[in-house]
Amino acid sequence: MNCSALLSPILMLVHLWPCSPSTQTHSAQNTDQSFTAVRRVKRGWVWEPLFATEEQTSMAPVYVGQLKSDLDKQDGNLKYILTGEGAGSIFIIDENNGKIYVTQKLDREKKAFYTLRAQAINRSTQLPVEPESEFIIKVRDVNDHEPQFLDGPYVATVPEMSPEGTSVTQVTATDGDDPSYGNSARLLYSLIQGQPYFSVEPKTGVIRMASQMDRETKDQYLVIIQAKDMVGQTGAFSATATVTINLSDINDNPPKFQQRLYYMSVSEEAPVGTTVGKVFAEDSDIGENAAMNYFIEGDSSDVFDIITNNETQEGIILLKKRVDYESKRRYSIRAKVVNRYIDDRFLKEGPFEDKTIVKINVEDADEPPVFTLENYVMEIAEGAMSGSLVGIVTARDPDDDDCPVRYSIVHGMHLKRLFSINEHNGTIITTKPLDREIASWHNITVTATETRNAEKISEANVYIQVLDVNDHAPEFPKYYETFVCENAVSGQLIQSISAVDQDDSAEGHHFYFSLAQEATNNSRFTVQDNQDNTAGIFTAKSGFRRQEQFSFYLPILILDNGTPPLTSTNTLTITVCDCDTEVNAFYCRYGAFMYAMGLSTEALVAVLACILILLVFFLAIVAIRQQRKKSPFSEKMEEFRENIVRYDDEGGGEEDTEAFDISALRTRTVMRTHKPRKNVTAEIHSLYRQSLQVGPDSTIFRQFISEKLEEANTDPSAPPYDSLQTYAFEGTGSSAGSLSSLGSHSSDADQSYDYLTDWGPPFKQLAGMYTSHRSGGD
């Protein structure tokens, strides 16, 4: 017998099953077969089925089963011993008869089986009469766990009007009991709340639609599902879960206008784009299912337009074209609204659109005058006399009272000088003759104003074209420089000419060229018309001599094809050049200039040479003057400039001999003998103490300053820019008084500066200034 049958899943019992030595190694490997009691015939263990309920609540040990050896003579000579998991604590054995008891509460969900070992020994010899055998006690399950919905609460969404049987969602409960034995973990689902709209499958927990529901009636339902174990039998445990089911919207409702008839009004002065009014259609759906578009049907769509406000779902009626109260005072339009997104499943229930009537009244307003045309185009011939008629503009008041209007010209004072308008009848005339060549078009703006309301003004553009009149004769387009060589032969082309005309010809200009009548007989040149608005100038004779005649003036007659035709005489100047084969224009211009000046080439060269000599002489004088301006002491000045050293700080006083490089201040020519400087620190401190009792006129101060000046004059290492002037005198706050002249009540005249003359050359100028000042003051 295989010991793997010991782990067969059975509820509510504890099963003891032995493993003989031959099958001991297989008992822990396979436990899937059911239990079968076996009694051994040969010498060995005798095993019997043993049972105990799980979750035993009795405090006394509970009998499980009995171990018995076939060598037991019931004389008390054998002793039974139990070892392994829980032996002595959970399980105990009666060593006299082999009965096994459980002493504690067992929980299959914590430990499903226990492995123990049994042994029978002889009390006298303490030797085993049976080999130690291992067996397993499996804890059988009881229904001690309630079902649980671990994923609750549930929320599900299903489209409204879904057909019966549509799956909504699935709920699942779990049970901690053993699902492989008995009914402790077999669950049964039922609907506690939610009828008659929903149903639930008892075994799977799938919630389905039990009827069609409309979201617009109710959009949310609360369903309660119960799960029972033990297949719903008496004494079973149960649990409930709440399922919130939302109905999502579908487009199952058409839009509906709130009114069957709307009344609106608009002023005839309203510009294009003015909002006339709004219409609104309701749709019970939400989101994009309630999106709609508005339209205008019929001929009124030319005057009015309607757009959809996507945020408010309103239809906004706009003015598409200006309205006129005098022309039409009332409009009736048909507005239609259509769902933007339509569900084909509900088309059979009717069209998803609606229509309404909108009546719009045009309100009368005091309108400005209206011109018969927005733009007028007029013509007038150039040169027309002042006061000539150009054209007439007409405007009238469109209102019923037909108020008279007054005309005027605006935009530019110069236009008023050219044109004027009769303010009563709109007649435009010229105020002076017009010239097309100056301006071929004139653009003016004419206004019409109501005589009873000057604020009502309208404008019209008037474009006036000045028609051309042949009043300009043709002429040369430029000045021609024409040259002829002295060795030119007869019939040689020396110049090609053309002509221009400021007038405008409708058929195109055509010019005719010929020699003037006075030059026809004795001219040495001829004119040949090329019939393409150009002509060629040819020599009529061979050989020209500059000495005889330097230039020729050839009168050329040019005729246009205008009505009437105009002619002009243009003079072509021909210069004779001294050349062999080709005419050099520059040489010819140079010769013409010299000829005009009356100078020969030799004379011109002499003039240029004189000019060059004068220029060289002038430059030499300037160079000499510049040389004289230089200082004879340039070397010393350069040395002086190099010795200028700038210091931006004040230094550290007389004792600061390391702050500056004094060698730059020494000259090369004058070097004074070095005289050691005295250590004046102690001397300064002594003078400071003495100054507290003496004034600025004290002999001590004068002696001290004189010594310092002498030392500075003879010491080359002393910087000339830094002099020690230490006055240990604290000012007016001290008993000695102040050395400053700012707070002094005595004038300079009261002081004697004669001692400045004793300070040497550096203070000579200062002594002179104070001495002269004192003399002047005296």
Side-chain angles (χ1 to χ4, degrees), residues 146 427 472 741:
E146 296 179 354
T427 301
H472 290 81
S741 61

Side-chain angles (χ1 to χ4, degrees), residues 547-563:
Q547 289 75 9
E548 295 180 359
Q549 187 172 355
F550 184 77
S551 60
F552 296 88
Y553 300 97
L554 187 66
I556 298 176
L557 185 67
I558 306 176
L559 174 69
D560 63 14
N561 61 336
T563 303

Side-chain angles (χ1 to χ4, degrees), residues 211-473:
S211 62
Q212 286 188 333
M213 289 171 287
D214 190 4
R215 187 202 63 84
E216 287 71 33
T217 302
K218 186 178 181 179
D219 61 353
Q220 189 178 81
Y221 293 84
L222 196 64
V223 177
I224 299 178
I225 303 297
Q226 183 186 61
K228 270 189 176 184
D229 59 10
M230 297 293 293
V231 200
Q233 297 176 6
T234 304
F237 293 109
S238 65
T240 59
T242 301
V243 183
T244 302
I245 301 177
N246 298 311
L247 297 182
S248 61
D249 184 56
I250 62 173
N251 191 9
D252 58 341
N253 294 281
K256 295 291 183 182
F257 279 108
Q258 291 181 328
Q259 299 174 219
R260 294 291 98 187
L261 184 62
Y262 290 86
Y263 291 95
M264 301 178 184
S265 61
V266 62
S267 173
E268 64 175 340
E269 287 185 323
V272 173
T274 300
T275 299
V276 179
K278 299 179 181 179
V279 295
F280 180 68
E282 291 182 334
D283 194 322
S284 300
D285 298 319
I286 60 175
E288 67 175 14
N289 294 321
M292 58 191 76
N293 293 325
Y294 292 87
F295 303 94
I296 291 180
E297 296 182 330
D299 298 335
S300 299
S301 60
D302 296 336
V303 182
F304 300 96
D305 193 10
I306 188 169
I307 61 174
T308 304
N309 187 329
N310 293 324
E311 294 183 358
T312 62
Q313 296 300 317
E314 292 178 316
I316 304 174
I317 299 177
L318 303 175
L319 188 62
K320 191 176 180 179
K321 183 180 179 181
R322 293 287 296 269
V323 293
D324 185 15
Y325 175 81
E326 288 72 27
S327 300
K328 189 173 183 178
R329 303 183 179 185
R330 187 175 293 105
Y331 293 87
S332 179
I333 64 176
R334 183 182 298 273
K336 181 175 72 171
V337 62
V338 180
N339 267 137
R340 194 174 300 168
Y341 308 102
I342 299 177
D343 194 334
D344 296 337
R345 294 177 298 173
F346 302 98
L347 285 176
K348 59 183 179 181
E349 298 182 4
F352 281 75
E353 62 181 42
D354 195 20
K355 297 179 181 180
T356 188
I357 301 298
V358 181
K359 294 187 177 294
I360 303 176
N361 294 323
V362 180
E363 297 177 348
D364 189 21
D366 187 6
E367 299 177 89
V370 178
F371 282 94
T372 56
L373 296 174
E374 293 184 1
N375 299 297
Y376 292 85
V377 179
M378 302 177 181
E379 296 177 349
I380 186 172
E382 67 172 328
M385 297 176 53
S386 176
S388 299
L389 176 64
V390 180
I392 300 174
V393 296
T394 304
R396 58 174 295 274
D397 184 9
D399 298 322
D400 293 339
D401 55 359
D402 194 11
C403 177
V405 298
R406 183 176 61 255
Y407 302 94
S408 63
I409 296 177
V410 295
H411 297 317
M413 294 301 296
H414 68 286
L415 297 177
K416 289 186 177 181
R417 292 195 297 267
L418 297 177
F419 305 95
S420 65
I421 188 171
N422 189 305
E423 65 176 10
H424 300 293
N425 57 22
T427 301
I428 300 175
I429 60 175
T430 60
T431 58
K432 60 173 60 177
L434 304 178
D435 189 353
R436 190 202 66 84
E437 286 69 35
I438 297 177
S440 59
W441 283 90
H442 297 277
N443 304 329
I444 64 176
T445 301
V446 176
T447 63
T449 307
E450 289 186 6
T451 56
R452 290 195 292 265
N453 187 357
E455 295 181 356
K456 299 300 178 181
I457 304 175
S458 59
E459 296 180 350
N461 296 318
V462 179
Y463 304 101
I464 302 174
Q465 183 182 13
V466 181
L467 300 179
D468 186 46
V469 174
N470 191 22
D471 55 349
H472 290 81

Side-chain angles (χ1 to χ4, degrees), residues 477-664:
K478 62 180 181 179
Y479 173 76
Y480 289 103
E481 289 183 318
T482 305
F483 305 97
V484 62
C485 293
E486 289 181 315
N487 56 356
V489 297
S490 176
Q492 181 177 341
L493 176 65
I494 61 173
Q495 183 68 58
S496 294
I497 59 174
S498 62
V500 293
D501 194 334
Q502 297 183 22
D503 294 322
D504 187 15
S505 175
E507 300 177 356
H509 289 291
H510 189 73
F511 304 112
Y512 304 94
F513 301 87
S514 61
L515 282 175
Q517 185 66 32
E518 62 271 17
T520 303
N521 297 328
N522 57 356
S523 176
R524 302 187 64 176
F525 303 93
T526 60
V527 176
Q528 182 177 338
D529 194 337
N530 298 327
Q531 302 298 318
D532 59 355
N533 293 337
T534 63
I537 308 300
F538 294 87
T539 56
K541 298 178 181 179
S542 300
F544 295 89
R545 291 181 59 80
R546 287 195 304 167
Q547 289 75 9
E548 295 180 359
Q549 187 172 355
F550 184 77
S551 60
F552 296 88
Y553 300 97
L554 187 66
I556 298 176
L557 185 67
I558 306 176
L559 174 69
D560 63 14
N561 61 336
T563 303
L566 297 179
T567 60
S568 66
T569 301
N570 298 263
T571 301
L572 183 66
T573 301
I574 304 174
T575 304
V576 180
C577 293
D578 182 11
C579 50
D580 296 332
T581 56
E582 295 183 359
V583 178
N584 189 305
F586 174 78
Y587 179 78
C588 288
R589 291 193 190 98
Y590 166 74
F593 173 76
M594 295 300 297
Y595 180 80
M597 295 293 295
L599 297 175
S600 63
T601 303
E602 294 77 4
L604 182 61
V605 170
V607 171
L608 293 177
C610 293
I611 294 175
L612 181 60
I613 293 173
L614 291 176
L615 180 61
V616 171
F617 181 73
F618 175 76
L619 293 176
I621 293 175
V622 172
I624 293 173
R625 289 186 177 181
Q626 292 293 333
Q627 186 68 22
R628 289 179 179 179
K629 288 183 179 180
K630 292 185 178 181
S631 173
F633 305 104
S634 58
E635 181 179 356
K636 293 185 179 180
M637 290 299 293
E638 183 67 25
E639 181 179 340
F640 294 158
R641 284 194 295 270
E642 291 179 354
N643 291 338
I644 296 175
V645 181
R646 179 177 179 179
Y647 298 91
D648 291 332
D649 56 350
E650 296 182 358
E654 186 181 69
E655 294 180 336
D656 187 4
T657 59
E658 302 297 333
F660 309 97
D661 183 10
I662 309 174
S663 61

